[in-house]
Amino acid sequence: QISVSAEPGQNVTLPCRSAGSTAVIVVLWIRTDLGSEYVLLYRDGRVDPRKQNPSYQNRVDLLDRQMKDGDVSLVLKNLTMNDTGTYQCRVQYEGSLDAELIRTINLQVSPPGDKDGGTKDGSIGLIVGLILLAFAFVAGVSFLIYKKQSACFRKK
């Protein structure tokens, strides 16, 4: 499992390479949260759009349709924030009945300069503000206790 980061509007390649020398007859890229729809299905020498998620139509392709050296990497064009997710690369080899999981990739699409993984919601500022408020409260209570004790000592 690997992680890939990119910015909206960019193109990104999600790397995947099949193992072994057996011919690949089907390449299936899925995103784990899409249900039965897929990102890309490549078979019979072409992309099959029948159950492809509409948001990926005309935006995805294989890096190398000849799949030289087993390269079945996915090119995802014009990224959006909605492309963030967990992708799986599966291949079906000649003579096999099932597609085998080759690689899982976590894609994080974040705005330019966003180093905290897309959490520009002010949560850090909120935490700092709450800590400062707590310190102010403790200081205020401590001051009141001090004044009350000072007044008691002066009466005695």
Side-chain angles (χ1 to χ4, degrees):
Q1 187 166 343
I2 65 167
S3 295
V4 175
S5 298
E7 297 176 359
Q10 288 183 331
N11 297 345
V12 70
T13 299
L14 303 182
C16 187
R17 189 172 298 277
S18 68
S21 58
T22 309
V24 173
I25 58 172
V26 175
V27 177
L28 177 63
W29 277 92
I30 63 169
R31 201 169 96 188
T32 56
D33 61 341
L34 289 182
S36 64
E37 294 182 320
Y38 51 78
V39 175
L40 177 128
L41 173 62
Y42 186 82
R43 64 177 169 197
D44 301 325
R46 61 184 177 81
V47 174
D48 184 345
R50 284 180 279 191
K51 281 191 164 184
Q52 186 177 32
N53 183 285
S55 69
Y56 291 102
Q57 288 180 354
N58 303 314
R59 290 197 314 126
V60 293
D61 204 350
L62 291 179
L63 182 62
D64 177 12
R65 286 193 177 196
Q66 278 74 49
M67 297 177 269
K68 290 184 186 102
D69 300 320
D71 188 355
V72 292
S73 300
L74 178 76
V75 177
L76 181 51
K77 302 170 188 165
N78 193 22
L79 289 174
T80 70
M81 300 289 284
N82 293 331
D83 292 325
T84 294
T86 302
Y87 292 76
Q88 291 183 340
C89 167
R90 296 176 177 267
V91 298
Q92 182 179 348
Y93 296 103
E94 193 171 48
S96 174
L97 298 176
D98 295 317
E100 178 182 324
L101 175 64
I102 302 297
R103 173 166 274 174
T104 301
I105 299 173
N106 292 314
L107 174 63
Q108 177 67 48
V109 182
S110 302
D114 188 0
K115 303 295 182 210
D116 62 1
T119 57
K120 285 196 174 206
D121 59 356
S123 58
I124 299 298
L126 177 64
I127 292 168
V128 170
L130 288 173
I131 290 170
L132 289 174
L133 183 63
F135 277 127
F137 177 78
V138 169
V141 169
S142 298
F143 179 75
L144 290 174
I145 292 171
Y146 171 78
K147 286 294 252 181
K148 191 168 186 168
Q149 285 180 346
S150 293
C152 286
F153 283 125
R154 274 187 246 140
K155 286 182 183 177
K156 290 181 182 180

